[in-house]
Amino acid sequence: MTRLWSAGRLTYLALAVTALMSIFPIYWMFVVASRTSDAMGQVPPPLTPGGNLGANIARLFTNTDAYFLTGLVNSAIVAGTVTVSVVFFSTLAGFAFAKLRFRGRNALLLVIVATMMVPTQLGVIPLYLLMTKLNWNDRLPAVIVPALVTGFGVFMMRQYAGQAVSTELIEAARMDGCNTARIYWNVVLPALRPAAAVLGLLTFMTTWNDFLWPYAVLNDPENPTVQLSLRALSDGYYQDMSQVFTGTAIATLPLLLVFVAFGRQIIGGIMEGAVKA
Amino acid sequence: MAVQLDARPPVAPAPGTTRPSRGVRLSRFDTRYSPYLYIAPFFLLFGVFGIYPLAYTFWVSLHDWDLLGADHPFVGLDNYSELLADPDFWHSVVNTLGIFVISTVPQLLLALWLANLLNRRLRARTTWRMAVLIPNVTSTAAVAIVFAVLFGRDFGMINWLLDHVGVDAIDWKANRLASWVAISAMVDWRWTGYNALIFLAAMQAIPRDLYESAAIDGAGRARQFWSITVPLLKPTIIFAVIISTIGGLQLFTEPRLFNSGTNAIRGGPLRESQTVTMYMFENAFAPHYNFGYGSAIAWLLFALIAVVAAVNVLLLRRLGGGARKEDPR
């Protein structure tokens, strides 16, 4: 029996190979990003970083096809706003669904779960028409506003609030004269903090990473998100691959930093969500 | 701990014994209606930007709806019948299903195997988990560009490696099947570790004495895996299959950025790797701006996802039926 759970050398070898294959494309991205463009044609391909990163960054940020700096700033604005909003509204609604009694609660929760199953593609065209009407095309609100709430977030917070927030504590606070808003702020929100952090991280990453909808609605090449800058770079006719890879590396860097800092929580969140599903 | 202190202000006004007045009425109003206030933002925003577009897509799909056209004549189901006879549409359906099958099957099998490895007693547990998850937290667009280079015909590293084992250079972008394989490789690279963690979570919930009694009965490792782990994981496997189906059939970013230049949205000059979503984009936005036709594609894509998900669930039920009888429980 112990044999079944022990990890032999083969286990470690298999895991090491998997880990290597997971990390290699990212590592190689940074290798090419720090070299000159002829690194691409070399045989065998270079596997260590070079010293050209600074020059590549300089070229990238002055490239008028990509508007890379604008893209970075835009993505930071979009992902930041969306994250704060999703966390706030999800904890609020999750608290209401888990701990407050009101008419139609179960039916409304069912609606929220149902919204999680609808593919985004289905709404892209009318959303585009709506943005045209609102005159938001090519502007950031077009990307931000539709993402301000998610069914996933509400559902996740509802599940977590059910077990993490004690009903006695809420009742005690009510006895002491707290109104519901005060209870949310002083009792519920602190108790939800761990799950809210995971939701925030996941939301930030998804939003930073989003491509389809920004690609549809932000057509002005001078006002892209960072992912759209990458598209402009890779669709260009020049083959300045080290510059393109500098772009992909910088666009990936925030996600990697978040992951290095909070990887444990993210893994915990994914695994916990899986058991409940 | 700080929570409790905050929640009990030292000078709580005694609930009015003398006057059941404004305060009480206010708090009754509060408990009855504030829940609606808390869930309202979701329903308002989702109503405007989620539900309304959904219904409106269907409405648009019944019209000849051009970007430039001043009016949009009602054409009934014309867009749909035109679409069903459109070879380019069916071509994109076959591409999507092909990429889906090539990517999902190995992905889920690998994830099961990987989860089984991660479920052993490991040193540096968290590090291994992070290592397999790291592809999932990278930028899809960035990775698609990097893989497009790795799969390059002349200078790509994959062809260089293949050359060492005596395989001639493959033109990954110009060959339909090869482009499916390359795109599937990106998808698998990104999602295998994620699915492995989902499976791992479910595996850890399986009581270990099941394995002990199986071992006493003489079941080996492989037998235990197929007769205990897999059947008990069935709900999680179904969940993962459905999620992969929804994601796989919507594939867009990877194939779009795998191709570059003028034919990118067509998935190459001969539409080698154009998925349904790409075809929808080609029609609905640049260059055609035919919103009616694009909306019809969106609805057929939705139908396709529903059908494939249902077929998957039915198949998995069948498969699991045989295994469950051997379940020692």
Side-chain angles (χ1 to χ4, degrees), chain B residues 87-318:
Chain B
D88 286 340
F89 170 70
W90 288 111
H91 190 87
S92 75
V93 170
V94 172
N95 282 345
T96 310
L97 289 175
I99 295 170
F100 167 66
V101 171
I102 296 185
S103 64
T104 311
V105 175
Q107 181 193 137
L108 294 182
L109 289 176
L110 271 176
L112 264 178
W113 174 73
L114 203 54
N116 202 34
L117 292 183
L118 288 169
N119 198 22
R120 299 193 182 149
R121 219 181 287 122
L122 287 174
R123 272 164 213 270
R125 237 174 30 160
T126 311
T127 312
W128 292 115
R129 290 180 186 176
M130 282 179 75
V132 302
L133 190 66
I134 204 167
N136 194 250
V137 303
T138 50
S139 149
T140 321
V143 165
I145 293 168
V146 171
F147 270 70
V149 172
L150 284 171
F151 280 100
R153 189 190 58 188
D154 298 323
F155 303 110
M157 204 178 282
I158 308 280
N159 274 351
W160 177 75
L161 285 173
L162 286 178
D163 188 45
H164 280 272
V165 290
V167 178
D168 285 338
I170 299 172
D171 194 346
W172 295 98
K173 279 169 203 168
N175 178 309
R176 198 177 179 197
L177 189 63
S179 70
W180 292 1
V181 171
I183 290 163
S184 300
M186 286 182 224
V187 176
D188 287 348
W189 182 78
R190 185 175 194 81
W191 290 103
T192 303
Y194 176 88
N195 282 312
L197 287 186
I198 299 231
F199 290 149
L200 175 63
M203 278 180 191
Q204 291 185 336
I206 300 176
R208 297 211 163 180
D209 42 341
L210 278 184
Y211 292 98
E212 278 165 30
S213 46
I216 291 168
D217 291 347
R221 227 180 206 182
R223 170 79 186 196
Q224 291 178 19
F225 180 72
W226 290 109
S227 299
I228 301 176
T229 312
V230 172
L232 286 180
L233 239 51
K234 214 174 73 176
T236 315
I237 294 176
I238 291 180
F239 170 76
V241 168
I242 291 180
I243 297 292
S244 314
T245 307
I246 295 175
L249 295 182
Q250 293 185 37
L251 206 62
F252 178 76
T253 311
E254 288 93 340
R256 166 62 187 80
L257 287 165
F258 181 66
N259 299 285
S260 61
T262 37
N263 285 319
I265 198 68
R266 291 162 57 106
L270 297 172
R271 303 178 188 275
E272 286 86 353
S273 52
Q274 186 178 43
T275 60
V276 178
T277 308
M278 288 163 80
Y279 191 56
M280 182 194 91
F281 257 74
E282 185 191 350
N283 281 285
F285 301 108
H288 300 307
Y289 287 105
N290 188 340
F291 294 120
Y293 204 59
S295 298
I297 300 174
W299 269 99
L300 285 187
L301 172 63
F302 188 42
L304 186 71
I305 292 174
V307 168
V308 174
V311 168
N312 279 335
V313 171
L314 286 179
L315 278 179
L316 283 169
R317 284 243 173 96
R318 272 273 161 82

Side-chain angles (χ1 to χ4, degrees), chain A residues 3 5 121-122 180 235, chain B residues 30 57 121 221 250 256:
Chain A
R3 195 175 56 95
W5 305 110
Q121 269 85 340
L122 210 48
T180 319
D235 276 359
Chain B
D30 174 46
T57 308
R121 219 181 287 122
R221 227 180 206 182
Q250 293 185 37
R256 166 62 187 80

